């Protein structure tokens, strides 16, 4: 196919210059592939380097998509980069999460640290970082798999935005990888070993929906790994994916034009990393993969899941199976899916309001005062022990204490009483604002109580030291000027609590809905080119916005281009929900708005999208109250807030059984979702919607308030229904982690 390109005169980001186009990718069999290994801690880093990796990727202990990994603090970071370079390898820093308004300055400090340490590249997701890139000229930017790079248009868009490499979606077939890798001026990287997600990366909100822990913020709790029932009957673990393994397909990936092979596993042990790197090093050297079979089996046995290369072959059935082996002690995978239930229990307890004071003001990039003087604590009694989670300044420290036999109950302390005691005390100058446990009557001996108190103090002290060191890193003046130049758009004047003015509908539901209700704007999903003209007539005076899908693949692009041409002829605005959709829409000359899958969690991201040609943006559906207040105080573009709906919690290419379609799926925590086919993919939406329509907040001002009725059995009835104050409000009343 002909690779899409922008006109040379198109300017996306005034502060940035697109990279010059390079010669077509070399696909000769002898071309060296970069082997890229995970480093969740120093031991894993050393193991990867000793095993012969070409590059490592790792995160600091803030702002990365594996925040449950040990990661590196600031003092370890520079030494880790130096050690990596001394071994002739490259060092890539992960900064691949959605950033809140208060995290922008912190992100800038991390970029400065990365540049000073001579990091080779930074993996990014949030558009805000694109505005900062010109101030850090020695850093390459790689688009993370969290940006959902699923087709050649996505790749071309990333190149246009200044990226030098993209990490492709794991769901691509070999031919789709070949098409994506044919785009000039940018490299492609693919995962070859490790865990797979049921949802397309960057398109999952299930963990966030269940308990406010977002995979798009690095705190996913693997809620997909738990057992589910379907229509009331036990169905096992139909969302728990097998592990990926492409060790026997490396020659095909080389021929497809791939530049780098990535091993997943920042939550895995150093021993596993060493084995994985060693195996792929030998496979790349030409050793017969059959001779490596035993070692390959050992990699899979580590998690207890079968291995698959189904996506590469364009096969989407039989990709799910057992949730993984049982945890077997400290050497076990720190992210083993047998922990998923434990995380889910913690999420159940976390549904209460986060306790941070939304009225506190703070400098952009710094946690508000309440975040610096308060912490949260979960103590859960589980089969593997007493699991403790201390949340402080946006990060969670987790540890497990063994259970002990209580011989003198009169001297023991119940966990519920311990939490009450801690709530009345200060630890490291911090107050406990939320304490929760699944076993308030469980007794702990005094020695374990003292041990727990000491561990809490250590966790708080460590975070305070990390924060203090980061604060000592000055934000460059040019970056600070960028932050200060952002101001609220005057059209964002409708407070939360006003009547909604826009509706989101499936194409087949529009006619019957508009026969009764006349909103100011109608966002339509599933619209085709043939129906644009008729749909425009149906809407009459209401604005019609055609929504592009949040995920599309190479074979879908012809239909999307036809839709865009039809919208351009009819003067219909297009909502873009991916970077590839943005590029195709920009090429077609249509008016563009940003949808919920180009989510805005900070004002600088909105500014970048505005420079890219979008006339308005949609605030992150996952945002909590405090974050919404902070964004809308400074959002420089007209913005929309979804106040009601059943958002897609998972979007997947996995072929579920046909009889799952439209049936309730329920897990043991009573999380209820409905799988449906939408635009060629399976989408899981919640049974019950979230509802903010009756919430009054004069500190949240937007241009549009949107009711999302996709998936509603009775859209008109839900628009008109009497609202109840006890409706679920998603993350509004809790703290988005």
């Amino acid at each position: 196919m002909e690779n899409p390109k922008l006109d040379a005169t198109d300017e996306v980001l005034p502060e940035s210059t697109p990279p010059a186009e390079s010669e077509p990718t070399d696909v000769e069999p002898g071309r060296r592939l970069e082997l890229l290994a995970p480093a969740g801690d120093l031991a894993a880093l050393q193991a990867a380097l000793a095993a012969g990796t070409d590059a490592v990727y790792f995160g600091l202990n803030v702002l990365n998509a594996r925040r449950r990994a040990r990661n590196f603090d600031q003092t370890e970071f520079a030494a880790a980069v130096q050690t990596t370079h001394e071994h002739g390898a490259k060092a890539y820093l992960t900064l691949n999460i959605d950033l809140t308004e208060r995290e922008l300055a912190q992100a800038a400090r991390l970029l400065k640290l990365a540049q000073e340490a001579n990091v080779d590249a930074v993996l990014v997701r949030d558009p805000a970082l694109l505005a900062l890139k010109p101030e850090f000229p020695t850093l390459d930017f790689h688009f993370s798999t969290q940006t959902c790079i699923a087709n050649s248009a996505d790749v071309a868009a990333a190149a246009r935005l200044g990226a030098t490499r993209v990490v492709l979606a794991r769901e691509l077939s070999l031919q789709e990888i070949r098409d994506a890798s044919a785009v000039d001026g940018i490299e492609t990287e693919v995962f070859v070993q490790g865990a797979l997600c049921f949802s397309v990366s960057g398109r999952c909100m299930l963990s966030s929906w269940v308990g406010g822990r977002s995979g798009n913020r690095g705190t996913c709790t693997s809620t997909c790994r738990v057992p589910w029932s379907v229509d009331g009957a036990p169905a096992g673990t139909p969302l728990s994916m097998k592990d990926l393994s492409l060790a026997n397909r490396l020659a095909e990936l080389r021929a497809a034009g791939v530049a780098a092979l990535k091993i997943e596993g920042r939550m895995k042990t150093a021993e596993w990393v060493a084995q994985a790197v060693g195996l792929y090093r030998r496979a790349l050297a030409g050793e017969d993969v059959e001779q490596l079979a035993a070692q390959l089996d050992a990699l899979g046995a580590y998690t207890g899941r079968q291995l698959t290369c189904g996506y590469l072959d364009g096969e989407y059935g039989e990709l799910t199976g057992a949730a993984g082996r049982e945890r077997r002690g400290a050497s076990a995978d720190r992210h083993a899916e047998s922990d998923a239930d434990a995380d889910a229990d913690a999420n159940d307890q976390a549904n209460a309001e986060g306790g941070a004071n939304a009225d506190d003001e703070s400098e952009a990039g710094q946690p508000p005062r309440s975040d610096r003087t308060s912490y949260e604590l979960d103590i859960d009694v589980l089969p593997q022990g007493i699991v403790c989670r201390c949340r402080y300044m946006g990060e969670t420290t987790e540890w497990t204490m063994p259970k002990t036999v209580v011989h003198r109950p009169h001297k023991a302390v119940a966990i519920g009483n311990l939490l009450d005691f801690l709530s009345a005390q200060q630890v490291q100058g911090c107050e406990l604002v939320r304490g929760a446990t699944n076993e308030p009557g469980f007794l702990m001996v005094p020695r374990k109580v003292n041990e727990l108190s000491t561990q809490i103090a250590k966790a708080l002290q460590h975070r305070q030291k990390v924060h203090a060191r980061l604060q000592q890193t000055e934000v460059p003046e040019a970056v600070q000027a960028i932050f200060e130049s952002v101001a609220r758009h005057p059209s964002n004047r409708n407070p939360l609590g006003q009547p909604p003015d826009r509706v989101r509908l499936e194409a087949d539901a529009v006619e019957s809905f508009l026969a009764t209700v006349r909103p100011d704007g109608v966002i339509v999903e599933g619209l085709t080119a043939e129906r644009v003209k008729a749909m425009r007539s149906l809407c009459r005076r209401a604005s019609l916005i055609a929504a592009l899908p949040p995920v599309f693949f190479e074979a879908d692009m012809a239909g999307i281009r036809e839709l865009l041409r039809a919208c351009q002829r009819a003067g219909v605005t297009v909502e873009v929900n991916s970077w590839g959709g943005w590029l195709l829409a920009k090429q077609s000359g249509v008016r563009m708005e940003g949808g919920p899958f180009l989510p805005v969690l900070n004002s600088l991201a909105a500014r970048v999208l505005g420079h890219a040609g979008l006339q308005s943006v949609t605030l992150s559906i996952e945002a909590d109250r405090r974050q919404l207040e902070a964004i809308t105080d400074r959002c420089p573009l007209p913005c929309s807030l979804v106040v009601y709906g059943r958002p897609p919690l998972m979007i997947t290419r996995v072929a579920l059984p046909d009889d799952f379609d439209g049936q309730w799926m329920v897990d043991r925590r009573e999380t209820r979702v409905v799988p449906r086919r939408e635009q060629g993919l399976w989408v899981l939406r919640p049974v019950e919607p979230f509802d903010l329509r009756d919430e009054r907040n004069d500190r949240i001002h937007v241009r549009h308030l949107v009711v999302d009725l996709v998936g509603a059995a009775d859209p008109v009835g839900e628009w008109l229904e009497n609202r109840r104050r006890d409706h679920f409000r998603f993350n509004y009343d809790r703290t988005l982690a």
Side-chain angles (χ1 to χ4, degrees), residues 80-210:
V81 176
Q82 181 178 350
T83 298
T84 301
H85 288 162
E86 287 173 352
H87 282 76
K90 293 183 177 181
Y92 301 146
L93 175 68
T94 57
L95 190 49
N96 53 342
I97 65 168
D98 288 335
L99 299 168
T100 68
E101 191 74 22
R102 293 186 173 98
E103 290 170 342
L104 289 175
Q106 191 176 37
R109 293 184 180 100
L110 294 188
L111 289 176
K112 183 179 180 182
L113 288 174
Q115 181 164 269
E116 291 173 346
N118 295 316
V119 163
D120 296 284
V122 180
L123 281 85
V124 301
R125 166 180 163 94
D126 197 296
L129 298 178
L130 300 177
L132 305 184
K133 186 178 186 302
E135 307 306 324
F136 302 97
T138 65
L139 293 177
D140 281 347
F141 274 22
H142 295 177
F143 270 29
S144 165
T145 190
Q146 286 294 113
T147 56
C148 189
I149 304 298
N151 55 68
S152 61
D154 287 326
V155 178
R160 179 64 189 176
L161 292 164
T164 57
R165 179 185 290 182
V166 294
V167 185
L168 296 179
R170 296 172 174 93
E171 294 76 14
L172 301 192
S173 69
L174 183 63
Q175 182 57 50
E176 289 167 338
I177 291 173
R178 186 177 293 113
D179 292 334
S181 301
V183 176
D184 292 340
I186 189 167
E187 294 179 339
T188 57
E189 174 179 308
V190 298
F191 280 96
V192 292
Q193 186 73 38
L196 288 170
C197 297
F198 182 79
S199 179
V200 176
S201 296
R203 298 294 185 258
C204 182
M205 291 187 284
L206 183 61
S207 178
S208 181
W209 183 266
V210 170

Side-chain angles (χ1 to χ4, degrees), residues 70 197 210 252 269 309 343 355 366 372 387 441 469 549 559 622 679 687:
R70 162 64 174 79
C197 297
V210 170
E252 295 169 86
T269 63
C309 59
D343 292 324
Q366 293 187 10
R372 296 195 296 271
V387 178
R469 285 194 292 265
E622 297 184 89
Q679 303 183 62
V687 172

